[in-house]
Amino acid sequence: MHVWSSQSESGVCMGADVHMFCCEDPKLRAECISWLFWQVGAAPSLGGGGFKSFFSADVKIESAIDKYALEVKRQFDVLDRHLGGKDGDSTGGGPYMLGKQYTIADVAIWTWYGLRALDPNSVDGEFLGLSSYPNVMAWAQRVADRKAVQRGQRVNQVWGDESEQLAERHSRTDFD
């Protein structure tokens, strides 16, 4: 029996066992796995475990908001520098996390950081100054423009515009 305790481990399984969205080159595969684990360690500060919850909290604690805001901005800076080729890594510079190849790292990171970057005018987006991360913004839009990502965003969606809803998916024709 297999028990997956994190999204990264399931990403490693997808990448290593069935070669989906991962690199054949061992160096790139290791980098892909590193980015998966970075996302799992970093994302709680961005999501419900940290920063996002401050905007709906009854009591606003300035030092806590500042702490999480600085950490989330640091994370966006890490992504922006990497995607802009400024971190000295051979895979940096985009258009995707591992250069030219779209991988499971893009999928995992985009769901947290890319979606947030696509809404830079939200309350937290403005507070964080997300529009000041041009490489993240361009990468987020590039991933969002992929047809498979657009289809995936509809799966199990039962709210919003009816044309964007797909309560259940059983085959490719469900998207037609």
Side-chain angles (χ1 to χ4, degrees), residues 115-169:
L115 283 172
R116 183 65 53 86
L118 292 174
D119 193 13
N121 297 320
S122 64
V123 172
D124 53 329
E126 281 188 21
F127 183 80
L128 292 168
L130 294 184
S131 59
S132 67
Y133 301 102
N135 300 311
V136 173
M137 302 293 282
W139 164 79
Q141 191 60 59
R142 191 175 302 112
V143 173
D145 289 342
R146 294 176 65 90
K147 293 291 184 202
V149 171
Q150 293 169 8
R151 287 192 308 267
Q153 291 289 53
R154 291 180 54 206
V155 175
N156 296 331
Q157 184 168 315
V158 293
W159 63 90
D161 186 341
E162 266 190 56
S163 68
E164 294 297 315
Q165 294 182 24
L166 184 62
E168 295 184 23
R169 179 180 183 267

Side-chain angles (χ1 to χ4, degrees), residues 34-102:
S34 291
W35 278 111
L36 284 170
F37 280 92
W38 175 86
Q39 181 269 327
V40 165
S45 295
L46 178 67
F51 184 74
K52 184 70 174 169
S53 60
F54 291 123
F55 287 98
S56 59
D58 292 334
V59 177
K60 310 279 193 263
I61 303 170
E62 187 175 348
S63 62
I65 293 171
D66 289 347
K67 173 185 174 181
Y68 278 97
L70 287 173
E71 174 57 18
V72 171
K73 288 174 77 104
R74 185 195 67 79
Q75 293 168 11
F76 271 94
D77 187 63
V78 166
L79 288 174
D80 200 64
R81 291 178 56 76
H82 177 73
L83 289 163
K86 298 175 187 164
D87 64 357
D89 191 304
S90 62
T91 61
Y96 298 108
M97 292 303 298
L98 296 181
K100 293 183 173 129
Q101 186 174 351
Y102 181 73

